């Protein structure tokens, strides 16, 4: 089996091949490590590759197969971690100079869960410094390169930029991202992969360096929706070490995937979600809604009248929570931050406590509004990002004759799910004429990731987009 | 949109918050803050007092029905 083919198998397919001993975990790990070695000097998806440890874990997984041990959920599957999840004995930089030499003495809970599930960890992935930016660049470790356009450098999307690039370019089978304003879904959309931000409280954040503790979520980024379901199964669940963790039982995500969308109610939210879009994004998302309708979903509009306040609410909460965490570093090592992140962190100290609490109150209002809409429909669908991956030299984009800055445009449609805590998935729904991926966002009820994944999987099965590969040698 | 003076921001940072602002960041901060606060101003159209701040977000119990049913 040629390595080039092997790395493009989905995680679900690889798991089956490993179980049937058609491929060995060592063979799979080597294929990914070789590819990363060949391509990552240009793509810059990894900050640290842990090749030796990965091969050790792969050999252990292979021995378990030989001994006919009970195989675990992610047995022998090669994953990579955004470099803000603590890894025992392996440096965890958070994409920063400040934590460049931090070697944790404990694994984050999700890392423990991956190890227990038998995953092979290939390394730590690049990211926007301290997860504070939707473009995905990094002044300390270089910007991960969006693999879809070799001629014109384009943003990969952030903050989980290394995760988006590594998964799209097949430098790992799946990766974790974190999402405070869209940082899983934005790179998923711009890099042409699937990524789900689960419900707030569904996945433990213990051991993950925070940006904004009431907005931060961790979740999987993969090439197929079924792979996201598989990874989420391993990640989800109550963790007494995380105060935000929910005891609600985790259902069987893979078990519900094939149920289809016939009879499900799909809502198209009113309130600006389909305004100021790149025309090709609008067309692709409307076409995707047509596909869901053809598959048997009942499509209708839902109203979210105050949703235009989401950016203000998000600004007041994220900026203040972020500066509260970073205060000690800002007082003593401010010069070690990249300029963009330092300026944004410092901005938070000027937001008043009354404004923060006003935003938290308005957040309740927005959550109630989304929950009311989700009484009428099972999921809502909307674009993930209003634009495809922008060129890195652009500061603004023109949409409908008006100029918008890139940063707020990228997060315009994703912030809502962070403010309200609802689960949201991005799945590829087409390509522009320049062959850049477009993302469809599916937002569902709290703790009902199963339905969100089910809709995404049904759409994916009916369309070819997840099979497209970036133009890499 | 509120108009903020850079010297006010600098004084607040130095004397109140205690997190000094490098001079080269002042203009970026001022612009970002003005934009953010302008977004926040729109919230005054609501009566937010009856609402609990979302920090008290209660996760439904496992025995409770899913949202909206």
């Amino acid at each position: 089996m040629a390595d080039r083919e092997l790395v493009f198998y989905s995680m679900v397919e690889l798991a089956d091949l490993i179980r049937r001993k058609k491929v060995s975990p060592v063979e799979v790990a080597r294929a990914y490590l070789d590819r990363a070695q060949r391509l990552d000097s240009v793509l810059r998806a990894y900050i640290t590759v842990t090749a030796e440890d990965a091969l050790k874990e792969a050999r252990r997984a292979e021995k378990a197969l030989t001994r006919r041990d009970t195989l675990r959920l992610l047995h022998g599957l090669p994953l990579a971690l955004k470099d803000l999840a603590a890894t025992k004995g392996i440096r965890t930089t958070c994409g920063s100079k400040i934590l460049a030499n931090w070697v944790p003495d404990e694994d984050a809970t999700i890392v423990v869960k991956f190890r227990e599930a038998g995953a092979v960890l290939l390394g730590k992935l690049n990211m926007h410094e301290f997860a504070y930016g939707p473009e995905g660049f990094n002044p300390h470790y270089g910007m991960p390169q969006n693999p879809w356009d070799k001629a014109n450098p384009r943003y990969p999307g952030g903050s989980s930029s290394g995760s988006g690039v590594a998964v799209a370019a097949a430098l790992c089978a799946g990766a974790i991202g974190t999402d405070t304003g869209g940082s899983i879904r934005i790179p998923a959309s711009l890099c042409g992969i699937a990524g789900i931000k689960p419900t707030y409280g569904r996945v433990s954040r213990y051991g993950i360096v925070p940006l904004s503790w009431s907005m931060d979520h961790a979740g999987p980024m993969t090439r197929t929706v079924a792979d996201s379901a598989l990874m989420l199964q391993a990640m989800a669940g109550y963790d007494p070490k995380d105060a935000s963790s929910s005891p609600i039982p985790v259902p069987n995500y893979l078990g519900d995937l094939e149920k289809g969308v016939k009879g499900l109610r799909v809502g198209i939210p009113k309130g600006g979600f389909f305004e100021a879009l790149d025309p090709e994004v609008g067309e692709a998302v409307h076409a995707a809604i047509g596909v869901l309708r053809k598959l048997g979903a009942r499509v209708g509009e839902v109203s979210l009248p105050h949703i235009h306040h989401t950016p203000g609410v998000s600004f007041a909460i994220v900026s203040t929570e972020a500066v509260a965490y970073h205060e000690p570093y800002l007082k003593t090592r401010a010069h070690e931050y990249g300029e963009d992140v330092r300026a944004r962190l410092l901005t938070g100290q000027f937001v008043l406590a009354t404004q923060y609490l006003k935003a938290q109150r308005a957040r309740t209002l927005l959550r109630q509004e989304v929950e009311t809409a989700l009484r009428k429909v099972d999921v809502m669908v909307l674009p993930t990002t209003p634009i495809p991956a922008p060129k890195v030299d652009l500061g603004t984009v023109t949409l409908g004759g008006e100029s918008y800055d890139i940063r707020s445009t990228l997060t315009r449609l994703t912030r809502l799910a962070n403010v309200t805590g609802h689960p949201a998935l991005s799945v590829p729904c087409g390509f522009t004429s320049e062959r850049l991926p477009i993302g469809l966002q599916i937002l569902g009820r709290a703790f009902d990731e199963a339905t969100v994944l089910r809709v995404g999987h049904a759409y994916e099965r009916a369309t070819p987009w997840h099979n497209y590969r970036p133009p890499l040698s | 949109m509120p108009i903020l003076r850079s010297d006010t921001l600098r004084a607040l940072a130095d004397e109140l918050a205690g997190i000094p602002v490098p001079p080269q960041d002042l203009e970026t901060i001022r612009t970002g803050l003005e934009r953010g606060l302008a977004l926040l101003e729109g919230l005054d159209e609501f009566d937010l007092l009856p609402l609990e701040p979302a920090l008290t977000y209660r996760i439904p119990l496992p025995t409770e029905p899913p949202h909206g049913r």
Side-chain angles (χ1 to χ4, degrees), chain A residues 342 358 361 364 367 445, chain B residues 17 25 44 51-52 57 69:
Chain A
R342 184 180 61 231
K358 187 191 284 184
R361 282 195 156 113
T364 301
R367 180 169 54 79
R445 296 183 182 125
Chain B
D25 290 347
D44 290 337
L51 295 167
E52 286 287 325
Y57 190 107
R69 296 210 177 145

Side-chain angles (χ1 to χ4, degrees), chain A residues 157-219:
Chain A
S159 63
S160 311
S161 43
S163 305
V165 172
V167 172
L171 307 185
C172 61
I176 64 142
T178 56
D179 193 316
T180 304
S183 292
I184 287 174
R185 292 159 288 155
I186 294 166
S189 174
L190 270 46
C191 291
I193 60 168
I196 182 167
K197 179 202 82 65
T199 311
Y200 187 76
R202 182 54 105 187
V203 169
S204 169
R205 300 161 318 159
Y206 179 77
I208 293 175
V209 177
L211 172 59
S212 164
W213 59 85
S214 76
M215 296 276 211
D216 292 342
H217 303 68

Side-chain angles (χ1 to χ4, degrees), chain A residues 96-98 129-130 139-140 326-346 349, chain B residues 18-25 29:
Chain A
S96 72
K97 195 171 170 185
I98 285 170
E129 183 181 15
F130 283 116
H140 311 295
H326 282 273
E327 183 178 343
Y329 294 133
L330 286 168
K331 281 181 171 169
T332 55
R333 301 171 68 181
H335 60 286
E336 293 181 55
Y337 286 91
E339 279 177 26
D340 74 311
V341 168
R342 184 180 61 231
R344 264 191 294 157
L345 286 171
L346 288 168
Q349 67 175 318
Chain B
I19 312 174
V21 173
Q24 70 270 23
D25 290 347
I29 291 169

Side-chain angles (χ1 to χ4, degrees), chain A residues 116-430:
Chain A
E116 285 172 357
V120 171
L121 301 178
L122 298 178
K124 308 296 292 289
L125 295 166
N126 206 343
M127 54 185 283
H128 206 110
E129 183 181 15
F130 283 116
Y132 206 5
E135 304 96 334
F137 60 76
N138 188 297
H140 311 295
Y141 301 95
M143 186 178 77
Q145 185 179 314
N146 191 311
W148 289 96
D149 190 347
K150 284 159 82 176
N152 306 294
R154 289 178 185 271
Y155 288 126
S159 63
S160 311
S161 43
S163 305
V165 172
V167 172
L171 307 185
C172 61
I176 64 142
T178 56
D179 193 316
T180 304
S183 292
I184 287 174
R185 292 159 288 155
I186 294 166
S189 174
L190 270 46
C191 291
I193 60 168
I196 182 167
K197 179 202 82 65
T199 311
Y200 187 76
R202 182 54 105 187
V203 169
S204 169
R205 300 161 318 159
Y206 179 77
I208 293 175
V209 177
L211 172 59
S212 164
W213 59 85
S214 76
M215 296 276 211
D216 292 342
H217 303 68
M221 298 171 71
T222 57
R223 286 191 294 277
T224 69
V225 174
D227 287 358
S228 278
L230 181 66
M231 267 183 82
L232 185 60
Q233 197 76 57
M235 295 169 78
Y238 177 65
D239 177 14
K241 291 177 176 174
D242 178 352
S244 71
S245 181
S246 166
I248 292 183
V250 178
N252 181 351
Y253 295 123
L254 286 163
D256 276 352
L257 270 187
E258 301 294 343
K259 286 184 177 169
V261 296
K262 197 171 180 184
L264 280 187
R265 294 162 302 171
V266 171
I268 303 172
K270 291 192 282 184
F273 292 103
F274 287 80
E275 291 164 16
L277 299 179
D278 178 291
E280 291 189 282
V281 170
E283 279 170 34
V285 172
H286 282 297
I289 292 166
V291 170
L292 292 173
R293 195 181 273 122
K294 270 189 193 160
L295 291 171
R298 289 181 287 151
V299 179
E301 286 192 332
V302 287
S303 178
L304 299 170
H306 299 111
I307 235 62
H308 56 284
H309 291 295
T310 304
V313 169
S314 177
F315 164 77
I317 295 171
V318 175
S319 65
T320 46
E321 292 186 357
V323 73
Y325 175 78
H326 282 273
E327 183 178 343
Y329 294 133
L330 286 168
K331 281 181 171 169
T332 55
R333 301 171 68 181
H335 60 286
E336 293 181 55
Y337 286 91
E339 279 177 26
D340 74 311
V341 168
R342 184 180 61 231
R344 264 191 294 157
L345 286 171
L346 288 168
T347 303
Q349 67 175 318
F350 302 111
V351 177
L352 303 175
T354 48
Q355 289 165 326
Y356 173 77
L357 283 168
K358 187 191 284 184
Q360 289 286 14
R361 282 195 156 113
R363 187 179 191 177
T364 301
L365 184 77
L366 297 177
R367 180 169 54 79
Q368 288 170 348
E369 209 159 84
V370 170
E371 289 187 351
T372 301
L374 287 169
R375 286 195 190 101
K376 295 174 186 150
V377 294
D378 297 290
V379 295
M380 290 189 271
V381 293
L382 58 152
T384 306
T385 52
I387 51 172
K391 290 179 187 166
V392 296
D393 52 0
L394 290 181
T396 59
V397 61
T398 303
L399 299 167
E402 282 196 46
S403 179
Y404 298 90
D405 81 275
I406 296 284
R407 185 171 288 163
S408 54
T409 300
L410 286 174
T411 56
R412 173 149 55 87
L413 305 176
T414 50
R415 280 175 170 178
L416 175 63
N418 299 85
V419 167
T420 66
H422 290 82
L425 166 77
S426 183
V427 60
C429 71

